[in-house]
């Protein structure tokens, strides 16, 4: 008898990252990285895990919303769900009463992302493949059928998406072999949190260079003099050949993978991130002041759903050679559609669970490829690095066909809490997830849940003052 989903478990898991300043920026000054985590259980031994990310308070609200969405799957046959993942996604967002509190945005949407990701995790596990491999092995028709196309046909049609995928199909195996060999390009944010001292920023930057990273991101927006000083500290290290790992030579700043990125003499690149703290005119003036540190782009310079504001900032900064990136807080595929249509961004930054799961991510990857905008996913949060390496591999192997200009965020926090943690090779690149049983790589250790579940996990019981 075919398996059916019979129950689920939801956990409010919070980590005390606020104690060390991890994750701090100009907007988010107090962050306890948190996971609204769901496991879907079936009448067989098949299980699917998913989560969405928050920074602490309110995580319980997301967990309550996950329950409302997961209820819709009780009694559903797994193979019926897997047969048409686009239809499954449409079913998850179709409850009219739940839709009313969105629609397709906010708490209900990120809750849907957790549940949709859990279904995809279950699907990959049922086929004994990592999630990325499940998707890249699909036919172009299956990928199109799995994506969310409602409201975006004015930007890309299913027929256009199918033609794009077919054009890349014959060379998928070559790209898969290449990325397995060299890894997927990464950049590091862990050195640039706003709450770190200059000494810690310098130390972590040196360590990141030694580990093979050549793209670095720094948080900005609280004080422009401090930002300029911190940026110069980072530049003084990443631009100095003496800090490169033994045997590694400087890269050509004008090479095809670095042209237009304001790379320094060693080929290293700096990006800056304001986390939505500015109004539009303020963003332009502030970033112009930081021109001496030569950033490739400013990330989230203003409100995430201000499409025309981003377009104005991009226009204002173009004479200075500084691009604009956003997407971490883009509610849904329609926001990305407008960002692309308005030529408002140079870099598209999907988030694996701000969007409502893999199906909606696929639609954004397809749009970005059509518009020729590189995708550099957001991964600054618990579980996000584990998620997004799968999405970048799907983009490279099956959709865009390129990874040389792309970089995937890496933060060195909390990976030890997952059964299948992501990893970085000696060249500062993500290793390809290759364990057949890992699915979407998001299964959390039961011991971590027991320790950090809010408010009765052992850590929070033993440290009541931190609550």
């Amino acid at each position: 008898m075919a398996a059916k989903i019979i129950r689920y478990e939801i956990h409010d898991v919070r980590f005390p990252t606020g104690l060390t300043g991890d994750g701090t920026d100009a907007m988010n000054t107090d962050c306890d990285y948190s996971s609204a985590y769901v496991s879907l259980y079936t009448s067989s031994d098949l299980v699917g895990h998913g989560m969405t990310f928050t920074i602490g308070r309110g995580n319980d609200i997301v967990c309550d919303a996950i329950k409302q969405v997961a209820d819709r799957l009780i009694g559903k046959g797994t193979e019926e769900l897997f047969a048409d993942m686009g239809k499954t996604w449409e079913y998850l967002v179709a409850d009219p009463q739940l839709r009313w509190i969105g629609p397709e945005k906010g708490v209900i949407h990120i809750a849907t992302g957790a549940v949709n990701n859990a279904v995809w995790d279950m699907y990959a596990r049922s086929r004994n493949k990592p999630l990325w491999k499940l998707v890249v092995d699909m036919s172009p028709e299956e990928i199109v059928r799995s994506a969310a196309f409602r409201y975006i046909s004015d930007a890309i049609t299913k027929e256009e998406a199918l033609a794009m995928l077919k054009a890349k199909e014959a060379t998928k195996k070559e790209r898969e072999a290449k990325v397995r060999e060299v890894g997927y390009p990464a950049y590091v944010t862990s050195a640039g949190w706003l709450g770190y001292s200059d000494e810690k920023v310098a130390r972590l930057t040196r360590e990141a260079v030694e580990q093979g990273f050549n793209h670095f991101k720094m948080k900005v927006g609280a004080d422009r003099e401090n930002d300029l000083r911190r940026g110069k500290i980072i530049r003084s290290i990443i631009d100095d050949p003496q800090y490169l790992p033994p045997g590694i030579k400087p890269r050509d700043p004008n090479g095809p993978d670095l042209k237009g990125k304001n790379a320094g003499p060693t080929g290293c690149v700096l990006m800056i991130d304001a986390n939505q703290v500015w109004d539009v005119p303020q963003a332009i003036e502030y970033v112009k002041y930081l021109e001496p540190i030569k950033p490739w782009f400013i990330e989230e310079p203003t409100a995430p759903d201000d499409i025309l504001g981003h377009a104005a900032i991009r226009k204002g900064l173009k004479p200075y050679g500084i691009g604009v990136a956003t997407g971490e807080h883009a509610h849904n595929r329609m926001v990305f559609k407008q960002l692309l249509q308005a030529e408002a961004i140079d870099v598209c930054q999907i988030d694996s669970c701000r969007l409502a799961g893999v199906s909606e991510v696929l639609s954004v990857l397809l749009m970005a490829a059509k518009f020729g905008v590189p995708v550099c996913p957001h991964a600054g949060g618990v579980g996000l690095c584990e998620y997004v390496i799968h999405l970048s591999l799907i983009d490279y192997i099956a959709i865009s066909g390129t990874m040389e200009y792309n970089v995937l965020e890496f933060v060195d926090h909390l990976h030890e809490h997952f059964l299948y943690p992501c990893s970085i090779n000696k060249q500062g690149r993500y290793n390809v997830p290759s364990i057949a049983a890992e699915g979407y790589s998001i299964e959390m250790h039961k011991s971590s849940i027991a320790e950090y579940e809010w408010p009765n996990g052992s850590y929070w019981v033993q440290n009541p003052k931190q609550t």
Side-chain angles (χ1 to χ4, degrees):
M1 182 179 292
K4 293 185 177 182
I5 296 175
I6 58 173
R7 66 183 181 91
Y8 53 82
E9 291 181 3
I10 299 169
H11 300 280
D12 179 349
V13 185
R14 308 188 193 187
F15 300 95
T17 53
L19 294 176
T20 54
D22 298 342
T24 51
D25 56 59
M27 180 66 76
N28 306 296
T29 56
D30 179 19
C31 305
D32 284 334
Y33 277 7
S34 301
S35 168
Y37 184 83
V38 60
S39 297
L40 302 175
Y41 294 90
T42 69
S43 54
S44 70
D45 58 358
L46 184 62
V47 183
H49 305 282
M51 57 150 279
T52 196
F53 167 67
T54 78
I55 60 170
R57 285 182 296 277
N59 203 53
D60 51 332
I61 301 172
V62 181
C63 288
D64 289 342
I66 289 173
K67 178 184 184 301
Q68 297 291 326
V69 178
D71 274 341
R72 292 177 60 74
L73 294 177
I74 298 300
K76 293 292 183 183
T78 56
E79 290 302 320
E80 177 188 356
L81 296 172
F82 303 157
D84 190 333
M85 289 296 283
K87 184 177 179 181
T88 296
W89 187 88
E90 291 172 357
Y91 173 75
L92 286 175
V93 300
D95 183 291
Q97 296 183 18
L98 295 179
R99 178 179 171 77
W100 187 262
I101 59 173
E104 295 189 35
K105 62 176 71 69
V107 169
I108 197 64
H109 206 56
I110 62 176
T112 303
V115 177
N116 183 252
N117 285 339
V119 176
W120 275 101
D121 178 67
M122 182 185 290
Y123 186 9
R125 288 165 178 261
S126 75
R127 303 306 191 257
N128 211 34
K129 294 180 179 182
L131 183 278
W132 70 266
K133 182 63 172 167
L134 171 77
V135 177
V136 303
D137 284 351
M138 289 179 172
S139 68
E141 289 81 3
E142 288 176 300
I143 294 176
V144 169
R145 194 164 62 245
S146 298
F149 276 91
R150 191 177 192 181
Y151 302 135
I152 62 169
S153 61
D154 54 326
I156 187 169
T157 64
K158 291 182 179 180
E159 292 74 21
E160 287 175 312
L162 186 61
M164 289 166 51
L165 293 166
K166 285 184 174 180
K168 295 289 191 292
E169 187 175 21
T171 49
K172 284 196 298 187
K173 290 189 181 302
E174 295 173 17
R175 288 190 293 279
E176 180 177 332
K178 180 178 180 180
V179 74
R180 283 184 182 274
E181 177 186 356
V182 303
Y184 194 92
Y187 74 85
V188 65
T189 300
S190 303
W193 299 121
L194 208 58
Y196 289 175
S197 66
D198 288 356
E199 292 74 19
K200 187 172 184 178
V201 168
R203 174 177 60 81
L204 292 175
T205 302
R206 288 192 296 270
E207 291 175 0
V209 174
E210 291 168 2
Q211 292 163 6
F213 290 100
N214 49 48
H215 284 66
F216 307 82
K217 191 168 77 179
M218 180 184 81
K219 299 292 184 175
V220 299
D223 182 288
R224 69 180 194 172
E225 296 294 342
N226 286 340
D227 291 341
L228 187 61
R229 184 190 71 255
R230 291 166 58 248
K232 288 181 177 179
I233 290 171
I234 294 174
R235 270 293 181 194
S236 71
I237 296 168
I238 67 176
D239 288 349
D240 191 334
Q242 71 168 314
Y243 294 110
L244 294 176
I248 300 298
K249 297 181 180 179
R251 300 189 304 158
D252 179 6
N254 296 309
D257 57 336
L258 292 175
K259 189 176 181 180
K261 288 187 174 182
N262 292 328
T266 62
C268 286
V269 176
L270 178 63
M271 301 94 84
I272 57 176
D273 182 0
N275 292 91
Q276 315 161 29
V277 77
W278 299 315
D279 280 5
V280 171
Q282 184 185 12
I284 296 170
E285 293 306 311
Y286 199 113
V287 177
K288 283 164 58 177
Y289 187 79
L290 298 180
E291 184 191 10
I293 62 174
K294 298 187 182 303
W296 170 24
F297 61 66
I298 173 64
E299 178 179 339
E300 283 201 311
T302 192
D305 44 3
D306 184 357
I307 311 301
L308 298 182
H310 279 86
I313 293 167
R314 182 173 185 249
K315 182 178 180 180
L317 293 178
K318 195 166 187 177
Y320 301 87
I322 301 171
V324 170
T326 202
E328 170 184 346
H329 277 80
H331 294 301
N332 49 45
R333 64 205 177 281
M334 291 77 80
V335 175
F336 281 104
K337 176 187 75 171
Q338 293 174 60
L339 286 166
L340 293 165
Q341 289 174 326
E343 299 182 353
I345 52 174
D346 298 276
V347 174
C348 174
Q349 295 179 303
I350 57 169
D351 183 281
S352 54
C353 44
R354 174 73 56 179
L355 293 171
V358 175
S359 291
E360 189 170 31
V361 168
L362 289 174
S363 68
V364 177
L365 295 178
L366 288 162
M367 284 191 290
K370 178 186 172 180
F371 282 82
V373 175
V375 176
C376 300
H378 166 249
V382 61
L384 300 189
C385 294
E386 279 67 31
Y387 264 154
V388 293
I389 178 56
H390 291 266
L391 304 178
S392 286
L393 290 169
I394 293 167
D395 178 54
Y396 168 55
I397 297 170
I399 299 177
S400 72
T402 179
M403 66 174 174
E404 295 316 312
Y405 210 71
N406 305 53
V407 281
L408 172 54
E409 185 173 24
F410 177 76
V411 294
D412 193 14
H413 308 305
L414 306 174
H415 303 294
E416 67 274 14
H417 298 291
F418 295 90
L419 271 68
Y420 306 102
C422 65
S423 61
I424 299 291
N425 66 23
K426 293 181 179 180
Q427 287 71 48
R429 289 171 170 250
Y430 274 85
N431 291 311
V432 172
S434 299
I435 300 173
E438 69 184 285
Y440 206 174
S441 306
I442 206 66
E443 183 176 1
M444 198 177 288
H445 287 291
K446 287 181 171 59
S447 58
S448 295
I449 295 173
E451 185 173 1
Y452 292 102
E453 185 156 18
W454 175 269
N456 296 317
S458 59
Y459 176 87
W460 296 111
V461 170
Q462 293 166 16
N463 297 275
K465 291 184 179 180
Q466 292 177 21
T467 64

Coordinates of all heavy atoms in Angstrom, one line a residue, residues 365-424:
L365 N 14.7 31.1 -10.1 CA 15.9 30.7 -10.9 C 15.7 30.8 -12.4 O 16.6 31.3 -13.1 CB 16.4 29.3 -10.5 CG 16.8 29.0 -9.0 CD1 17.1 27.6 -8.8 CD2 18.0 29.9 -8.6
L366 N 14.6 30.4 -12.8 CA 14.3 30.4 -14.3 C 14.2 31.9 -14.8 O 14.7 32.2 -15.8 CB 13.0 29.6 -14.6 CG 13.1 28.1 -14.4 CD1 11.7 27.5 -14.3 CD2 13.9 27.6 -15.7
M367 N 13.5 32.7 -14.0 CA 13.4 34.1 -14.4 C 14.8 34.8 -14.4 O 15.1 35.5 -15.3 CB 12.5 34.9 -13.4 CG 11.0 34.6 -13.7 SD 9.9 35.8 -12.7 CE 10.2 35.2 -11.1
A368 N 15.6 34.6 -13.4 CA 16.9 35.2 -13.3 C 17.8 34.8 -14.5 O 18.5 35.6 -15.1 CB 17.6 34.8 -12.0
A369 N 17.7 33.5 -14.9 CA 18.5 33.0 -16.0 C 18.0 33.7 -17.3 O 18.8 34.1 -18.1 CB 18.3 31.5 -16.1
K370 N 16.7 33.8 -17.4 CA 16.2 34.5 -18.7 C 16.7 35.9 -18.7 O 17.1 36.4 -19.8 CB 14.7 34.5 -18.7 CG 14.1 35.2 -19.9 CD 12.6 35.4 -19.9 CE 12.2 36.3 -21.1 NZ 10.7 36.4 -21.1
F371 N 16.7 36.7 -17.6 CA 17.1 38.1 -17.6 C 18.6 38.2 -17.5 O 19.1 39.3 -17.5 CB 16.4 38.8 -16.4 CG 15.0 39.1 -16.7 CD1 14.0 38.2 -16.5 CD2 14.6 40.4 -17.1 CE1 12.7 38.5 -16.7 CE2 13.3 40.7 -17.3 CZ 12.3 39.8 -17.2
G372 N 19.4 37.1 -17.4 CA 20.8 37.2 -17.3 C 21.4 37.8 -16.1 O 22.5 38.4 -16.1
V373 N 20.7 37.6 -14.9 CA 21.2 38.1 -13.6 C 21.7 37.0 -12.8 O 20.9 36.0 -12.6 CB 20.0 38.9 -12.9 CG1 20.4 39.3 -11.5 CG2 19.6 40.1 -13.7
P374 N 22.9 37.0 -12.3 CA 23.4 35.9 -11.5 C 22.7 35.8 -10.2 O 22.3 36.8 -9.6 CB 24.9 36.3 -11.3 CG 24.9 37.8 -11.4 CD 23.9 38.1 -12.5
V375 N 22.6 34.5 -9.8 CA 21.9 34.2 -8.5 C 23.0 33.9 -7.4 O 23.8 33.0 -7.6 CB 21.0 33.0 -8.7 CG1 20.4 32.6 -7.3 CG2 19.9 33.4 -9.7
C376 N 23.0 34.7 -6.4 CA 23.9 34.5 -5.3 C 23.1 34.4 -4.0 O 22.8 35.4 -3.3 CB 24.9 35.6 -5.2 SG 26.0 35.8 -6.6
P377 N 22.6 33.2 -3.6 CA 21.7 33.0 -2.5 C 22.1 33.5 -1.2 O 23.3 33.5 -0.8 CB 21.4 31.5 -2.5 CG 21.8 31.0 -3.8 CD 22.9 31.9 -4.3
H378 N 21.1 34.0 -0.4 CA 21.3 34.3 1.0 C 21.5 33.1 1.8 O 20.7 32.1 1.6 CB 20.2 35.2 1.5 CG 20.1 35.3 3.0 ND1 19.2 34.7 3.8 CD2 20.9 36.0 3.8 CE1 19.4 35.0 5.0 NE2 20.4 35.8 5.1
A379 N 22.4 33.0 2.8 CA 22.6 31.8 3.6 C 23.0 32.2 5.0 O 23.5 31.4 5.8 CB 23.6 30.9 3.0
G380 N 22.8 33.5 5.4 CA 23.2 33.9 6.8 C 22.2 33.5 7.8 O 21.4 34.4 8.3
G381 N 22.1 32.3 8.2 CA 21.2 31.8 9.3 C 21.3 30.4 9.5 O 21.9 29.6 8.7
V382 N 20.7 29.9 10.6 CA 20.8 28.4 10.9 C 20.1 27.6 9.8 O 19.0 27.9 9.4 CB 20.2 28.1 12.3 CG1 18.8 28.5 12.4 CG2 20.4 26.7 12.6
G383 N 20.8 26.6 9.3 CA 20.3 25.7 8.3 C 20.3 26.2 6.9 O 20.1 25.4 5.9
L384 N 20.5 27.5 6.7 CA 20.4 28.0 5.3 C 21.5 27.6 4.4 O 21.3 27.3 3.2 CB 20.3 29.6 5.3 CG 19.1 30.1 6.1 CD1 19.0 31.6 5.9 CD2 17.8 29.5 5.8
C385 N 22.7 27.5 4.9 CA 23.8 27.0 4.1 C 23.6 25.5 3.7 O 23.9 25.2 2.5 CB 25.2 27.0 4.9 SG 25.7 28.7 5.2
E386 N 23.0 24.7 4.6 CA 22.7 23.4 4.2 C 21.7 23.3 3.1 O 21.8 22.5 2.2 CB 22.1 22.6 5.5 CG 23.2 22.1 6.5 CD 23.9 23.2 7.2 OE1 23.4 24.3 7.4 OE2 25.1 23.0 7.5
Y387 N 20.7 24.2 3.2 CA 19.7 24.3 2.1 C 20.2 24.7 0.8 O 20.1 24.1 -0.3 CB 18.6 25.3 2.5 CG 17.4 24.8 3.2 CD1 16.7 25.7 4.0 CD2 16.8 23.6 3.0 CE1 15.5 25.3 4.7 CE2 15.6 23.2 3.6 CZ 15.0 24.1 4.4 OH 13.8 23.7 5.0
V388 N 20.9 25.9 0.8 CA 21.1 26.6 -0.5 C 22.1 26.0 -1.4 O 22.1 26.3 -2.6 CB 21.3 28.1 -0.3 CG1 20.1 28.8 0.3 CG2 22.6 28.3 0.6
I389 N 23.1 25.2 -0.9 CA 24.0 24.6 -1.8 C 23.2 23.7 -2.8 O 23.6 23.7 -4.0 CB 25.1 23.8 -1.1 CG1 26.0 23.1 -2.1 CG2 24.5 22.8 -0.1 CD1 26.7 24.0 -3.0
H390 N 22.1 23.1 -2.4 CA 21.3 22.3 -3.3 C 20.7 23.2 -4.4 O 20.7 22.9 -5.6 CB 20.2 21.7 -2.6 CG 20.6 20.6 -1.7 ND1 20.7 19.2 -2.0 CD2 21.0 20.6 -0.4 CE1 21.1 18.5 -1.0 NE2 21.3 19.3 0.0
L391 N 20.3 24.4 -4.0 CA 19.6 25.3 -5.0 C 20.6 25.9 -6.0 O 20.3 26.0 -7.2 CB 18.9 26.5 -4.2 CG 17.9 26.0 -3.2 CD1 17.3 27.2 -2.5 CD2 16.8 25.1 -3.8
S392 N 21.8 26.2 -5.5 CA 22.9 26.7 -6.4 C 23.3 25.6 -7.4 O 23.6 25.9 -8.6 CB 24.1 27.2 -5.6 OG 23.7 28.5 -5.0
L393 N 23.4 24.4 -6.9 CA 23.7 23.3 -7.9 C 22.6 23.1 -8.9 O 23.0 22.9 -10.1 CB 23.9 22.0 -7.0 CG 25.2 22.0 -6.2 CD1 25.1 20.8 -5.2 CD2 26.4 22.0 -7.0
I394 N 21.4 23.2 -8.5 CA 20.3 23.1 -9.5 C 20.4 24.2 -10.5 O 20.3 24.0 -11.8 CB 18.9 23.2 -8.8 CG1 18.7 21.9 -7.9 CG2 17.8 23.3 -9.8 CD1 17.5 22.1 -7.0
D395 N 20.7 25.4 -10.1 CA 20.8 26.6 -11.0 C 22.0 26.3 -12.0 O 21.8 26.5 -13.2 CB 21.1 27.8 -10.2 CG 21.3 29.0 -11.0 OD1 20.4 29.3 -11.9 OD2 22.3 29.7 -10.9
Y396 N 23.1 25.9 -11.5 CA 24.3 25.7 -12.3 C 24.1 24.6 -13.3 O 24.3 24.7 -14.5 CB 25.5 25.5 -11.5 CG 26.7 25.1 -12.2 CD1 27.2 25.8 -13.3 CD2 27.4 23.9 -11.9 CE1 28.3 25.4 -14.0 CE2 28.5 23.4 -12.6 CZ 29.0 24.2 -13.7 OH 30.1 23.8 -14.4
I397 N 23.7 23.4 -12.8 CA 23.7 22.2 -13.6 C 22.5 22.2 -14.6 O 22.7 21.9 -15.8 CB 23.6 21.0 -12.8 CG1 24.9 20.9 -11.9 CG2 23.5 19.7 -13.6 CD1 24.8 19.8 -10.8
A398 N 21.4 22.7 -14.2 CA 20.2 22.5 -15.0 C 19.6 23.8 -15.6 O 18.9 23.7 -16.6 CB 19.1 21.8 -14.2
I399 N 19.9 24.9 -15.0 CA 19.2 26.1 -15.5 C 20.1 27.2 -16.1 O 20.0 27.4 -17.3 CB 18.4 26.7 -14.3 CG1 17.4 25.7 -13.7 CG2 17.7 28.0 -14.7 CD1 16.6 26.1 -12.5
S400 N 20.9 27.8 -15.3 CA 21.7 28.9 -15.9 C 23.0 28.4 -16.6 O 23.4 29.0 -17.6 CB 22.2 29.9 -14.8 OG 23.2 29.3 -14.0
G401 N 23.5 27.3 -16.2 CA 24.7 26.7 -16.8 C 26.0 27.4 -16.5 O 27.0 27.1 -17.1
T402 N 26.0 28.3 -15.5 CA 27.2 29.0 -15.2 C 27.3 29.1 -13.7 O 26.3 29.3 -13.0 CB 27.3 30.4 -15.8 OG1 28.5 31.1 -15.4 CG2 26.1 31.3 -15.4
M403 N 28.6 29.1 -13.2 CA 28.8 29.4 -11.8 C 30.1 30.2 -11.6 O 30.5 30.5 -10.5 CB 29.0 28.0 -11.0 CG 30.3 27.2 -11.4 SD 30.5 25.8 -10.2 CE 31.9 25.0 -11.0
E404 N 30.7 30.7 -12.7 CA 31.9 31.4 -12.6 C 31.8 32.8 -12.0 O 32.7 33.3 -11.4 CB 32.6 31.5 -13.9 CG 33.0 30.1 -14.4 CD 33.7 29.2 -13.4 OE1 34.6 29.7 -12.7 OE2 33.3 28.1 -13.2
Y405 N 30.6 33.4 -12.2 CA 30.4 34.8 -11.7 C 29.5 34.7 -10.4 O 29.4 35.7 -9.7 CB 29.6 35.6 -12.8 CG 29.9 37.1 -12.7 CD1 31.2 37.6 -13.1 CD2 29.0 38.0 -12.2 CE1 31.4 38.9 -13.0 CE2 29.2 39.3 -12.2 CZ 30.5 39.8 -12.6 OH 30.7 41.2 -12.5
N406 N 29.0 33.5 -10.1 CA 28.2 33.4 -8.9 C 29.0 33.0 -7.7 O 30.0 32.3 -7.8 CB 27.2 32.2 -9.2 CG 26.4 32.4 -10.4 OD1 26.9 32.6 -11.5 ND2 25.1 32.4 -10.3
V407 N 28.5 33.4 -6.5 CA 29.1 33.0 -5.3 C 28.0 32.8 -4.3 O 27.0 33.5 -4.3 CB 30.1 34.0 -4.7 CG1 31.5 33.9 -5.4 CG2 29.6 35.5 -4.8
L408 N 28.1 31.8 -3.5 CA 27.1 31.4 -2.5 C 27.6 31.7 -1.1 O 28.7 31.3 -0.7 CB 26.9 29.9 -2.7 CG 26.0 29.2 -1.6 CD1 24.6 29.8 -1.5 CD2 25.8 27.7 -2.0
E409 N 26.7 32.4 -0.3 CA 27.1 32.8 1.0 C 27.4 31.6 1.9 O 26.7 30.6 1.9 CB 26.0 33.7 1.6 CG 26.4 34.2 3.0 CD 25.3 35.2 3.5 OE1 24.2 35.1 3.1 OE2 25.7 36.1 4.3
F410 N 28.4 31.8 2.7 CA 28.8 30.8 3.8 C 29.0 31.5 5.1 O 29.7 32.5 5.2 CB 30.0 30.0 3.4 CG 30.4 29.0 4.5 CD1 29.7 27.9 4.7 CD2 31.5 29.3 5.4 CE1 30.1 27.0 5.7 CE2 31.8 28.4 6.4 CZ 31.1 27.2 6.6
V411 N 28.3 31.1 6.1 CA 28.6 31.5 7.5 C 28.9 30.3 8.4 O 28.2 29.3 8.3 CB 27.4 32.3 8.1 CG1 27.2 33.6 7.3 CG2 26.1 31.5 8.1
D412 N 29.9 30.5 9.2 CA 30.5 29.3 9.9 C 29.8 29.2 11.3 O 30.5 29.4 12.3 CB 32.0 29.5 10.0 CG 32.6 28.2 10.5 OD1 31.9 27.1 10.5 OD2 33.8 28.2 10.9
H413 N 28.5 29.0 11.3 CA 27.7 29.0 12.5 C 26.8 27.8 12.5 O 26.0 27.6 11.5 CB 26.9 30.3 12.8 CG 27.7 31.5 12.7 ND1 28.8 31.8 13.4 CD2 27.5 32.6 11.9 CE1 29.3 33.0 13.1 NE2 28.5 33.5 12.2
L414 N 26.7 27.0 13.6 CA 25.6 26.1 13.9 C 25.5 24.9 13.0 O 24.5 24.1 13.1 CB 24.3 26.8 13.9 CG 24.3 28.1 14.9 CD1 23.0 28.8 14.7 CD2 24.5 27.6 16.3
H415 N 26.5 24.6 12.1 CA 26.4 23.4 11.2 C 26.4 22.1 12.0 O 25.9 21.1 11.5 CB 27.5 23.5 10.2 CG 27.5 24.7 9.4 ND1 26.5 25.1 8.5 CD2 28.4 25.8 9.4 CE1 26.8 26.2 8.0 NE2 27.9 26.7 8.5
E416 N 27.0 22.1 13.2 CA 27.1 20.9 14.0 C 25.8 20.3 14.4 O 25.7 19.2 14.9 CB 28.0 21.1 15.2 CG 27.4 22.1 16.2 CD 27.7 23.6 16.0 OE1 28.1 23.9 14.8 OE2 27.5 24.4 16.9
H417 N 24.7 21.1 14.3 CA 23.4 20.7 14.7 C 22.6 19.8 13.7 O 21.5 19.4 13.9 CB 22.5 21.9 15.2 CG 23.1 22.6 16.3 ND1 23.2 22.1 17.6 CD2 23.8 23.8 16.4 CE1 23.8 23.0 18.4 NE2 24.1 24.0 17.7
F418 N 23.3 19.6 12.5 CA 22.6 18.9 11.4 C 23.3 17.6 11.1 O 24.5 17.5 11.2 CB 22.5 19.8 10.2 CG 21.7 21.0 10.4 CD1 22.2 22.2 10.9 CD2 20.3 21.0 10.1 CE1 21.4 23.3 11.1 CE2 19.5 22.1 10.3 CZ 20.1 23.3 10.8
L419 N 22.5 16.6 10.8 CA 23.1 15.3 10.5 C 23.9 15.3 9.3 O 24.9 14.5 9.1 CB 21.9 14.2 10.3 CG 21.4 13.5 11.5 CD1 20.7 14.4 12.4 CD2 20.5 12.3 11.0
Y420 N 23.6 16.2 8.3 CA 24.4 16.3 7.1 C 24.8 17.7 6.8 O 24.3 18.4 5.9 CB 23.5 15.8 5.9 CG 22.9 14.4 6.1 CD1 21.6 14.3 6.5 CD2 23.7 13.3 5.9 CE1 21.0 13.0 6.7 CE2 23.1 12.0 6.1 CZ 21.8 11.9 6.5 OH 21.2 10.6 6.7
P421 N 25.8 18.2 7.6 CA 26.2 19.6 7.5 C 26.9 19.8 6.2 O 27.6 19.0 5.6 CB 27.1 19.8 8.7 CG 27.7 18.4 9.0 CD 26.5 17.4 8.7
C422 N 26.8 21.1 5.7 CA 27.6 21.5 4.5 C 29.0 21.6 4.9 O 29.4 21.6 6.1 CB 27.0 22.8 4.0 SG 27.3 24.2 5.1
S423 N 29.9 21.6 3.9 CA 31.3 21.7 4.1 C 32.0 22.5 3.0 O 31.4 22.6 1.9 CB 32.0 20.4 4.3 OG 31.8 19.6 3.1
I424 N 33.2 23.1 3.3 CA 33.9 23.9 2.4 C 35.3 23.2 2.1 O 35.9 22.7 3.1 CB 34.1 25.3 3.0 CG1 32.8 26.0 3.3 CG2 35.0 26.2 2.1 CD1 32.0 26.4 2.0

